[in-house]
Amino acid sequence: MSRQGPVIELGMGPDELPPVTVRALTEAWDTATRAGHAGLAGPPLGVRFQPADGDQIHVLLADPDLRCWSRALAREVRLDTPRGMSLCLRLIGLIGLLAEEARLADFFRPGRGGAPWFHPALLQSAARLPLGRDGGFDRERFLASLPPLSG
């Protein structure tokens, strides 16, 4: 893990982080969106998880977008708490799935001059499903949690 930026230490694994509320997740989305539009920059953020099994897990948020979003969230919530880190990783995971998974196209519409639209089930899944040991969502479990949409 790079020491070029701050390192947060949490005494649990990413898979032990708590769920968050849908409201907190949508507010985090709005915060990250505003930060992206403002061009907010920040240093890489390292996270060292220390789960009960003793095997440390390291996550490095080094991509410019991840640095922007995590810095913006750090202004709103404490990322050195389980809730704050859970919110950050869930937001990053949701954005990643939306960017990479074509099957989610009907569950999200970007905002045009306004707020984006999210299918409620998408937000519920992102807020409630457990994170994996890598700090991300299990893609297949996430997709399986969503209802079929008739189109």
Side-chain angles (χ1 to χ4, degrees):
M1 183 168 4
S2 171
R3 300 290 290 174
Q4 296 174 343
V7 176
I8 294 172
E9 298 197 26
L10 289 173
M12 61 180 43
D15 54 334
E16 300 173 272
L17 291 171
V20 299
T21 65
V22 167
R23 180 177 178 179
L25 189 59
T26 56
E27 288 173 355
W29 179 282
D30 293 342
T31 296
T33 300
R34 285 191 304 274
H37 290 307
L40 185 66
L45 175 64
V47 186
R48 184 177 301 122
F49 292 97
Q50 183 65 57
D53 67 14
D55 294 332
Q56 283 189 354
I57 300 165
H58 302 272
V59 175
L60 180 62
L61 305 178
D63 173 270
D65 288 332
L66 301 182
R67 292 173 12 204
C68 170
W69 302 330
S70 63
R71 182 169 182 205
L73 286 179
R75 293 177 172 183
E76 304 288 327
V77 299
R78 290 188 48 201
L79 296 183
D80 63 344
T81 66
R83 180 190 169 278
M85 186 53 60
S86 182
L87 185 60
C88 183
L89 293 179
R90 289 170 186 283
L91 174 68
I92 290 168
L94 176 60
I95 292 169
L97 285 172
L98 289 170
E100 298 169 3
E101 186 54 62
R103 293 180 278 181
L104 294 179
D106 291 334
F107 289 89
F108 168 76
R109 289 190 190 70
R112 295 184 187 171
W117 174 83
F118 297 96
H119 190 285
L122 178 75
L123 293 175
Q124 281 292 334
S125 292
R128 300 281 178 214
L129 286 176
L131 296 169
R133 297 239 340 145
D134 64 354
F137 291 113
D138 176 299
R139 180 181 307 264
E140 293 309 314
R141 183 174 183 182
F142 193 99
L143 294 172
S145 73
L146 299 172
L149 295 180
S150 57

